[in-house]
Amino acid sequence: MFAFAAAAVLCFGMLRRTRRIEHEDTRRGVFWLLVTSGGWAAAHVGYLTMPTPDLQYVFYLTGLVVGLASVGPWLYFCAAYTGRQVHHNSAARKGLLVVFLAFVAVKVTNPIHNWYFVAEEANTPFVYLQVSHRPLHWIAMGLAYALAFVGFFMLFELFIRVNSNTRPLFALLSLTGIPVVFDVLGAIAPGILDITYSSIGVAVFAVGVFSTYFDRFQYVRVTGESTDPILVVDDGREIRDFNTRAGDLFPSLSGAIGKPLSDSVPALADTMEESDPIIEVEVDGTNRYYNVTSNPFTMGSAEMGHSVVLTDVTEREQYRQELEAKNEKLEQFASIVSHDLRNPLQVAKGRTELALESGDIDHLEPVVRAHERMEQLIEEMLTLAREGMSIDDTERVDIAALAEQAWRMIAADQATLSIEDDLECTVSADPERLQQLVENLFRNAIEHGGDDVVISVGAIADGFYVADDGDGIPEDEREDVFDAGFTTAADGTGFGLAIVSEIVDAHDWEIRATEGDAGGARFEIRTE
């Protein structure tokens, strides 16, 4: 009797604490689970203490009805807590209500048919109304426990999904299941009352959630309700919980609960401090971008830390980067149009005016050269814009054969091409754009190395190189040479190597300017 009384007091005493639960449906489910569990235990106290058999019968019957009713709040709590919507499904709710009312009708009319249990007075171990359960009672109990197991499975699945420790859940389940043993013993052992002890187990679970594992259950619910990667950190930025998606994204989170976020995922900790918190993470060999948002995590009125949510914004970020790159190109082109094209245009304009005023056609020769210069600038600007486009179709290209073909397409004068003996190097590329790349490297070598420059082509471990025996590139200029408009030649456009860089980027390759064996410039293209 004292166990039932304690269970009732604990359940009713915990009702006020349900206000700490932020999630409305979860709070409602726990509240009514405590009410029905407390009422169930209180009915057993009345059954054991009432002075007359009739009153004992009424209280026992009330306990059977209220106990069966506790299944509803239990399932409601489990569904709400795990983020499911079955508790709002009208068909499911109506179905459970019909089953519940059917069993209630059988229980209430039991004095007429005795299908559910038979009650008679007993004198040992004290005077009470002894109840002998019939098969229909065990059928109802089996159904109730089956539904209870469905709820437990919802909880277990959520704990697994968020990568949380399931030991607390199994500990509570074990305590909840102990009274079932007494239910069975009551039916077969004469020294144990044949009544339902399950109200004690349900009370233990409800109270245990609040008194021992309340914070843990709250963390699990928060991390489990999102399909995005999510972590919960306390005010000291120590990791309290995280879901499976976050664990997959950051393998270093394994075993990190209780440790500082800055130690386990320093990049994420740093990103949270930025004004535009976007973190780049490599996933399956590709870069993904996540927007990081941190929101206060509260329990009741107390702030317990922050929930950190990572939202995949890869497409948006890639579009932004592409837009920035295009804007940068537009700025480059605008600078070229306003500066590089303006000079030959002014020359052409001035010389044309002089030719008109003086009638001297010799002034038109600089006009022709100015127009040729402008035409060259325009063509190379268009090439630069085109070569930066992504590449969809590629094929295997032999570097030696392509180098010879590119050599035939340029004005080599007295320059010499030397292809590495037994060069066996093939790459997956767009043949036309790769030839444009090699041609531009050849022209650059001739432009800066002189008419008699020797140009060599060979293989490296992960690609190929083009080198010359000219004066080379100063070390402090080797990165700048790929910028559009950068040139050291008086008549250079500064587009040749910029076009090379665009073609390399379009293939997802890398290029590096360094010093060749002969002291000249060497360009290494890494294709793997």
Side-chain angles (χ1 to χ4, degrees):
M1 180 185 71
F2 292 108
F4 288 111
V9 171
L10 284 173
C11 285
F12 292 136
M14 289 289 178
L15 289 176
R16 290 188 60 185
R17 298 189 65 184
T18 59
R19 298 175 184 176
R20 296 175 57 191
I21 301 177
E22 298 290 336
H23 192 249
E24 182 179 354
D25 282 354
T26 302
R27 180 175 64 251
R28 185 181 295 116
V30 172
F31 179 87
W32 286 107
L33 179 61
L34 287 169
V35 169
T36 52
S37 299
W40 191 5
H44 279 69
V45 173
Y47 159 68
L48 295 173
T49 58
M50 287 297 104
T52 65
D54 290 340
L55 289 175
Q56 292 174 2
Y57 190 98
V58 170
F59 272 92
Y60 186 77
L61 187 60
T62 301
L64 289 178
V65 174
V66 176
L68 185 62
S70 67
V71 175
W74 162 252
L75 291 175
Y76 192 97
F77 157 73
C78 293
Y81 177 79
T82 57
R84 292 173 169 83
Q85 296 298 317
V86 66
H87 56 298
H88 291 308
N89 187 300
S90 58
R93 294 170 67 168
K94 289 178 182 178
L96 286 175
L97 180 61
V98 169
V99 174
F100 171 73
L101 292 177
F103 277 105
V104 168
V106 174
K107 293 178 180 182
V108 171
T109 59
N110 187 73
I112 300 174
H113 49 69
N114 289 327
W115 292 347
Y116 207 84
F117 63 89
V118 174
E120 56 185 359
E121 290 188 46
N123 297 319
T124 56
F126 53 85
V127 178
Y128 72 100
L129 185 68
Q130 184 179 29
V131 175
S132 299
H133 293 114
R134 296 296 179 89
L136 192 57
H137 165 80
W138 297 108
I139 293 174
M141 287 287 290
L143 177 61
Y145 277 110
L147 292 174
F149 180 80
V150 170
F152 169 75
F153 179 79
M154 294 182 191
L155 298 178
F156 178 74
E157 188 272 338
L158 174 64
F159 272 63
I160 292 298
R161 176 155 49 90
V162 302
N163 200 32
S164 181
N165 182 10
T166 57
R167 285 195 296 269
L169 182 63
F170 277 105
L172 284 176
L173 178 68
S174 299
L175 292 174
T176 304
I178 289 175
V180 179
V181 177
F182 289 93
D183 288 345
V184 176
L185 291 177
I188 61 177
I192 299 177
L193 292 179
D194 186 11
I195 59 176
T196 303
Y197 294 87
S198 300
S199 59
I200 298 175
V202 175
V204 168
F205 179 87
V207 173
V209 169
F210 281 98
S211 61
T212 308
Y213 300 114
F214 181 77
D215 292 354
R216 187 67 180 157
F217 270 65
Q218 283 282 72
Y219 290 142
V220 171
R221 190 192 65 78
V222 170
T223 55
E225 67 183 2
S226 175
T227 57
D228 294 322
I230 183 171
L231 303 87
V232 176
V233 297
D234 61 19
D235 287 335
R237 289 286 178 87
E238 288 189 356
I239 301 169
R240 307 308 304 168
D241 210 340
F242 58 90
N243 62 6
T244 302
R245 288 183 178 271
D248 292 341
L249 192 62
F250 302 111
S252 58
L253 284 174
S254 178
I257 291 179
K259 297 180 180 179
L261 180 63
S262 58
D263 291 347
S264 301
V265 195
L268 179 58
D270 293 340
T271 301
M272 291 174 62
E273 303 297 333
E274 298 175 0
S275 58
D276 185 20
I278 302 292
I279 186 171
E280 181 179 355
V281 184
E282 183 176 334
V283 180
D284 297 331
T286 61
N287 291 334
R288 309 291 298 180
Y289 297 88
Y290 294 86
N291 181 51
V292 182
T293 56
S294 178
N295 300 304
F297 175 68
T298 60
M299 294 182 188
S301 59
E303 184 173 317
M304 306 299 291
H306 291 80
S307 59
V308 183
V309 182
L310 291 91
T311 306
D312 193 326
V313 292
T314 301
E315 292 185 3
R316 188 191 74 185
E317 185 65 16
Q318 289 175 340
Y319 175 76
R320 184 187 67 79
Q321 292 179 359
E322 290 176 2
L323 192 60
E324 286 184 353
K326 289 180 180 179
N327 288 338
E328 184 177 347
K329 280 188 178 181
L330 286 175
E331 291 178 2
Q332 291 176 349
F333 292 161
S335 175
I336 293 166
V337 170
S338 64
H339 182 269
D340 292 35
L341 282 177
R342 180 176 294 175
N343 290 337
L345 184 61
Q346 291 292 346
V347 171
K349 181 180 179 181
R351 290 288 187 162
T352 301
E353 290 175 353
L354 288 174
L356 292 173
E357 291 175 359
S358 64
D360 186 357
I361 62 173
D362 289 341
H363 287 297
L364 296 180
E365 291 183 9
V367 174
V368 173
R369 290 196 298 272
H371 280 93
E372 289 175 347
R373 172 70 172 172
M374 286 188 289
E375 182 180 8
Q376 181 185 12
L377 286 169
I378 292 171
E379 287 180 355
E380 294 198 359
M381 278 193 294
L382 292 174
T383 301
L384 180 62
R386 181 175 61 252
E387 297 302 347
M389 297 173 62
S390 61
I391 292 174
D392 296 324
D393 298 324
T394 61
E395 59 185 73
R396 300 303 296 180
V397 179
D398 182 84
I399 294 299
L402 182 134
E404 291 177 352
Q405 182 176 343
W407 187 254
R408 292 193 293 269
M409 299 300 295
I410 66 171
D413 295 327
Q414 300 176 20
T416 305
L417 174 65
S418 173
I419 298 178
E420 186 180 82
D421 293 340
D422 300 325
L423 173 61
E424 294 183 1
C425 177
T426 61
V427 297
S428 179
D430 180 320
E432 293 183 1
R433 295 170 77 174
L434 180 56
Q435 181 172 330
Q436 175 77 50
L437 180 154
V438 175
E439 288 179 12
N440 278 26
L441 290 178
F442 288 169
R443 291 191 184 97
N444 181 77
I446 295 172
E447 182 178 339
H448 294 277
D451 293 340
D452 59 348
V453 69
V454 176
I455 302 171
S456 58
V457 178
I460 56 178
D462 49 2
F464 65 97
Y465 71 86
V466 176
D468 62 63
D469 62 352
D471 296 332
I473 304 171
E475 188 173 354
D476 59 348
E477 295 180 0
R478 289 175 184 172
E479 293 185 4
D480 297 334
V481 295
F482 298 107
D483 295 338
F486 182 90
T487 182
T488 58
D491 57 349
T493 63
F495 287 139
L497 293 181
I499 292 171
V500 168
S501 179
E502 290 290 341
I503 298 173
V504 167
D505 289 342
H507 282 87
D508 289 328
W509 296 343
E510 293 181 1
I511 186 169
R512 184 170 70 102
T514 183
E515 184 178 356
D517 296 336
R522 173 177 166 128
F523 295 92
E524 296 179 347
I525 295 92
R526 303 184 185 280
T527 62
E528 296 180 4

